[in-house]
Amino acid sequence: MNTLIIDDEPLAHEVLLHHSRAHADIEIVGQCYNAAEALAFLAKLPVDLILLDIHMPVLSGLDMLKVLLGRPQVVLCTAYQEYALEGFELDATDYLLKPVSAERFAQALDKVRRRAGETAIPVEPVASSHIVIRVDRAYRKIELDKVQCFEAYGNYVKVWLEDTCLLTAATLKYFAETLPSDRFIQVHKSFLVNKDKVVAQDREKVRLAGEKLVKIGNAFRRNLVGLWQ
C-alpha cells in the first residue's frame, strides 16, 4: 500500500517511519512537510494512503483534504483532538493523537485494510453495454461505446471518453479481464483500447477517433492482427 507522510515536524516523520517498518504491506513512497508540497507530489504520483498532520503552515491538513481530488484513504495524525469530528466528516479512515503509539498505529492500519478490502474491486461490470466505475467517492455509469481507451496511471486508471477523462482506483489488468474481449484489446502494457474507436494504425501506434495516439507495445502487436476484419 503506497503511503505518503505529510507533517511539518521531522520528528513526527521519524515516528511514523519507525511504526511503518513493522508492516510489510506499507511502503512509504514520499514524505512532505507542507500541504503545497504534498499536492504537487500527489499530482504526479497518486497513493493509497496518506498519514496527515492537521496543523501545518499556510494550508492545514483539513483544508488540503477539501481541495484534494481523487482522495485516497487518510489517517489523521495530530496533537489536537478537537478536530476529530471534522476529520471524520471528510471521510478520514482514522484519527490518531500524538504521540502515536505502535499499537494505535497498527489499529488504524487494520481499519485501512478493511476499508480497502471493501472496495478492492472498484469497477463493477453491469451489462455488456456499460460499466460502473468509482470516481472520487461516487459511482458513475459509463457507456462502453463512449470509451476511447483505458490508460494505466500508477495505482489508478484513466478512462478516456469522447470529451473528458475520468480517474478511478483500479488496475488495467482488471479492465482487461472484465471487459468484452471482442470490443477491447490491449495494445500496450499501459493501454487498453476500444476497437471501434481505432481509425488508423501503423507499426508504432494507433490513432483513435478523438485523435488520441496510443503506442503499440511489442508484446501486444499480435492483438491487432485482423483488427478490421
Side-chain angles (χ1 to χ4, degrees), residues 29-86:
V29 296
Q31 295 175 243
C32 298
Y33 293 86
N34 59 65
E37 180 184 355
L39 289 170
F41 180 96
L42 291 167
K44 297 179 180 178
L45 180 64
V47 299
D48 304 303
L49 173 64
I50 295 176
L51 304 175
L52 178 64
D53 186 23
I54 290 180
H55 271 239
M56 294 186 291
V58 185
L59 190 67
S60 74
L62 294 179
D63 288 336
M64 175 190 146
L65 288 185
K66 293 174 183 177
V67 301
L68 181 61
L69 300 176
R71 190 186 307 161
Q73 289 200 64
V74 175
V75 172
L76 293 168
C77 307
T78 178
Y80 303 89
Q81 62 181 0
E82 60 265 32
Y83 297 102
L85 179 59
E86 187 175 0

Side-chain angles (χ1 to χ4, degrees), residues 19-201:
H19 292 337
S20 297
R21 294 187 186 104
H23 301 272
D25 60 336
I26 300 299
E27 181 178 358
I28 305 299
V29 296
Q31 295 175 243
C32 298
Y33 293 86
N34 59 65
E37 180 184 355
L39 289 170
F41 180 96
L42 291 167
K44 297 179 180 178
L45 180 64
V47 299
D48 304 303
L49 173 64
I50 295 176
L51 304 175
L52 178 64
D53 186 23
I54 290 180
H55 271 239
M56 294 186 291
V58 185
L59 190 67
S60 74
L62 294 179
D63 288 336
M64 175 190 146
L65 288 185
K66 293 174 183 177
V67 301
L68 181 61
L69 300 176
R71 190 186 307 161
Q73 289 200 64
V74 175
V75 172
L76 293 168
C77 307
T78 178
Y80 303 89
Q81 62 181 0
E82 60 265 32
Y83 297 102
L85 179 59
E86 187 175 0
F88 286 120
E89 286 177 345
L90 290 169
D91 204 28
T93 302
D94 208 345
Y95 192 99
L96 303 181
L97 288 176
K98 296 177 179 177
V100 178
S101 69
E103 180 180 5
R104 187 65 185 86
F105 184 76
Q107 291 173 356
L109 291 185
D110 284 340
K111 290 184 180 180
V112 170
R113 295 182 186 104
R114 285 197 297 271
R115 179 179 281 196
E118 292 170 359
T119 58
I121 303 179
V123 183
E124 178 188 354
V126 178
S128 59
S129 63
H130 66 273
I131 56 172
V132 174
I133 65 173
R134 189 174 182 178
V135 180
D136 293 331
R137 300 291 174 179
Y139 288 90
R140 296 274 298 270
K141 178 180 176 181
I142 307 297
E143 298 295 333
L144 290 181
D145 60 6
K146 294 183 179 179
V147 176
Q148 299 267 334
C149 65
F150 297 86
E151 178 184 0
Y153 184 67
N155 298 313
Y156 295 77
V157 169
K158 292 181 179 180
V159 184
W160 290 92
L161 306 177
E162 295 173 344
D163 55 358
T164 189
C165 177
L166 302 174
L167 191 66
T168 185
T171 64
L172 194 68
K173 180 181 179 181
Y174 177 76
F175 283 107
E177 294 177 348
T178 303
L179 294 171
S181 58
D182 61 333
R183 298 186 64 182
F184 290 86
I185 56 173
Q186 190 160 1
V187 299
H188 187 274
K189 65 179 181 180
S190 298
F191 284 96
L192 187 71
V193 304
N194 186 339
K195 292 170 63 174
D196 293 337
K197 300 297 182 181
V198 178
V199 297
Q201 171 195 350

